[in-house]
Amino acid sequence: MRTREALISAALELARNGQSPSIAEVAEAAKVSTATAYRYFPNPQSLWADMATRQTGFVGGYPDFLDRLTGDVEERIDQVVREVCAFQFADEVVWRGVLRATLDRWFNQVDVVEAERVPVRGVTRLEMARRALAPLRDTLSEERWEQLVHAVTMVFGVEAIVSTRDTCGLDPEAATETMRWAARALVRAAVAEAG
């Protein structure tokens, strides 16, 4: 466990300094042999995934703040978006690295038959949206509820950070506010449509 933590800590430090470190570079920074590092992380994507998990304080694979969601559905999704923005903006370089790793994984599989591809992303963000929007399951049809979940996942997370920061030129505070507004607006639209 100590070796794994040393590797992740070294990778985080390198990432915060603007590097996209290889496994060998992380091993050197952690003062661990490259062979040992590869036993823990067979590829950079696995390292980036563990770095992201560590940065968010996930418990059992999901952020612990999900157990504290309160209020109506708009308030619940607002809490999720705020929390995700807070931990992702706190380590934006790391999260952009995670995005790069997922894109690399996609490109590495472009010639592989779709049924045989390894998933390039986890479903944590999707599950966060489902937990926040769960009270609407009885209000919306199953199809419309799933559509809302999918729509909301598009307006927060690292891809939304890239859009709001790079395309719109927003600072982290304005980007967070925009994502919060978009998530609440989608909830309101879905409820109004169902009514």
Side-chain angles (χ1 to χ4, degrees), residues 2-195:
R2 258 184 255 131
T3 303
R4 183 182 203 83
E5 284 301 307
L7 289 165
I8 293 172
S9 294
L12 284 167
E13 191 59 35
L14 291 169
R16 287 186 183 118
N17 290 326
Q19 292 179 262
S20 178
S22 67
I23 299 295
E25 290 167 329
V26 171
E28 183 180 336
K31 297 179 177 40
V32 172
S33 77
T34 302
T36 298
Y38 272 107
R39 278 198 292 276
Y40 287 93
F41 301 104
N43 55 53
Q45 291 89 351
S46 62
L47 176 60
W48 284 105
D50 271 25
M51 288 165 54
T53 299
R54 177 173 169 193
Q55 288 310 97
T56 56
F58 285 13
V59 176
Y62 294 98
D64 57 4
F65 69 80
L66 291 175
D67 295 329
R68 300 188 305 270
L69 294 178
T70 59
D72 65 19
V73 177
E74 276 190 55
E75 292 168 330
R76 290 167 61 91
I77 197 61
D78 188 69
Q79 290 169 53
V80 167
V81 174
R82 272 188 290 116
E83 290 279 353
V84 171
C85 284
F87 64 67
Q88 288 187 331
F89 276 124
D91 269 313
E92 188 173 345
V93 171
V94 171
W95 285 96
R96 284 177 182 258
V98 169
L99 179 59
R100 178 191 296 166
T102 61
L103 291 172
D104 287 346
R105 183 179 290 174
W106 186 89
F107 279 110
N108 290 336
Q109 300 184 88
V110 75
D111 293 327
V112 176
V113 177
E114 193 161 346
E116 297 174 11
R117 292 180 186 171
V118 175
V120 296
R121 295 294 296 267
V123 296
T124 304
R125 185 173 8 157
L126 194 62
E127 291 305 319
M128 286 191 282
R130 284 190 173 124
R131 291 271 294 270
L133 301 172
L136 287 179
R137 281 199 102 132
D138 295 334
T139 305
L140 305 176
S141 69
E142 185 64 25
E143 179 184 341
R144 198 55 86 201
W145 184 78
E146 279 292 329
Q147 188 175 40
L148 175 60
V149 168
H150 296 161
V152 167
T153 62
M154 295 189 314
V155 299
F156 74 102
V158 68
E159 296 88 353
I161 285 176
V162 170
S163 294
T164 55
R165 299 275 281 143
D166 300 354
T167 304
C168 302
L170 302 178
D171 63 28
E173 185 178 335
T176 299
E177 287 305 311
T178 300
M179 288 182 240
R180 291 173 63 196
W181 178 86
R184 291 190 314 265
L186 285 167
V187 169
R188 279 194 300 273
V191 169
E193 192 177 272

